[in-house]
């Protein structure tokens, strides 16, 4: 796993034909801020490597929960080259996340920003203010998959004939699907639950202000 944890700034991941992960962090300063006040920390764990942005009052990556409301004058944008088979995890607070055509699993989380993530393996994405466009290449996955936002639409593309238990809901928007969906019970407002194929792990898609589209990529 290569995990990127930022606070202010965008994250872009793309595939590479090599066997090495390459991470480039670019700092941007405003209002005469000191770039050296913000550090880039790299640490190893049992799953792989974690790269974190650390502001002056942060000791380590575990302090990231203190940074959600930061308005610092230094932002850090990441570019990540991801080899085949390496799991990508991207997390920021103020910034969009883009991860296109990755050959493996991918997860993306932000608060203020849109997400675009497409991968051959398991995918999930969460934001608050922004839309989500995701594509999952695997037909069968073992874990529950979640795609959630508050202000934005959700478009999810699935390959082949997936097997899952679908739960989708929106308040201000519509829900549409390219797949035959076996529905049980009643429709309640703009909420739907049903079975794709033979059923399986839960596939959850929720928003408040936006539409939900479940599309076939084949």
């Amino acid at each position: 796993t290569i995990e990127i944890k930022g606070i202010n700034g965008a994250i872009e991941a793309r595939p590479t034909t090599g066997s090495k992960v390459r991470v480039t962090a670019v700092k941007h300063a405003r209002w005469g801020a000191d770039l050296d006040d913000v550090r880039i920390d790299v640490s190893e764990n049992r799953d792989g490597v974690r790269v974190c942005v650390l502001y002056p009052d942060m000791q380590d990556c575990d302090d990231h929960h203190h940074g959600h409301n930061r308005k610092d004058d230094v932002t850090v944008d990441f570019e990540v080259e991801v080899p085949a088979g390496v799991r990508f995890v991207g997390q920021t607070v103020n910034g969009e996340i883009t991860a296109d055509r990755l050959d493996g699993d991918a997860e993306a989380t932000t608060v203020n920003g849109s997400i675009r993530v497409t991968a051959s393996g398991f995918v999930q994405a969460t934001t608050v203010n922004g839309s989500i466009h995701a594509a999952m290449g695997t037909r069968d996955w073992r874990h529950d998959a979640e795609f959630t936002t508050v202000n934005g639409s959700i478009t999810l593309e699935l390959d082949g004939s997936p097997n899952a238990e679908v739960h989708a809901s929106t308040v201000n928007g519509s829900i549409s699907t390219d797949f035959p969906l076996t529905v049980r019970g009643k429709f309640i407002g703009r909420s739907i639950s049903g079975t794709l194929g033979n059923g399986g792990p839960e596939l959850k898609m929720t928003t408040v202000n936006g539409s939900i589209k479940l599309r076939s990529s084949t």
Side-chain angles (χ1 to χ4, degrees), residues 28-194:
H28 306 272
R30 297 176 294 177
W31 320 120
D34 189 352
L35 290 174
D36 292 333
D37 286 343
V38 176
R39 296 175 291 129
I40 309 297
D41 179 73
V42 181
S43 60
E44 293 185 39
N45 54 48
R46 64 180 183 179
D47 295 323
V49 175
R50 182 169 63 180
V51 181
C52 291
V53 175
L54 299 181
Y55 284 87
D57 58 345
M58 301 169 65
Q59 297 298 318
D60 53 40
C61 202
D62 294 330
D63 287 337
H64 257 233
H65 63 280
H66 297 305
H68 282 208
N69 296 315
R70 301 193 68 95
K71 295 183 179 179
D72 294 86
D73 294 328
V74 176
T75 62
V76 182
D77 295 328
F78 283 97
E79 294 182 0
V80 189
E81 296 178 12
V82 185
V86 174
R87 175 172 169 257
F88 168 77
V89 177
Q91 177 180 318
T92 188
V93 178
N94 300 306
E96 64 180 18
I97 299 177
T98 304
D100 269 336
R101 299 174 290 108
L102 299 186
D103 190 0
D105 298 338
E107 298 180 27
T109 303
T110 186
V111 176
N112 299 306
S114 61
I115 294 175
R116 178 179 177 84
V117 54
T118 64
S120 64
F122 176 81
V123 171
Q124 60 181 1
T126 301
T127 185
V128 176
N129 298 306
S131 294
I132 295 173
H133 189 128
M136 182 158 26
T138 183
R139 298 183 181 184
D140 297 295
W141 57 94
R142 299 179 181 179
H143 307 290
D144 294 343
E146 188 170 0
F147 301 87
T148 64
T149 184
V150 175
N151 298 306
S153 61
I154 299 173
T155 301
L156 174 61
E157 298 180 16
L158 298 178
D159 185 35
S161 302
N163 299 306
E165 297 294 336
V166 176
H167 303 282
S169 65
T170 181
V171 176
N172 300 304
S174 60
I175 300 174
S176 62
T177 176
D178 288 345
F179 297 96
L181 192 65
T182 303
V183 179
R184 297 179 300 276
K186 298 179 180 180
F187 290 94
I188 303 174
R190 293 181 174 87
S191 178
I192 188 172
S193 295

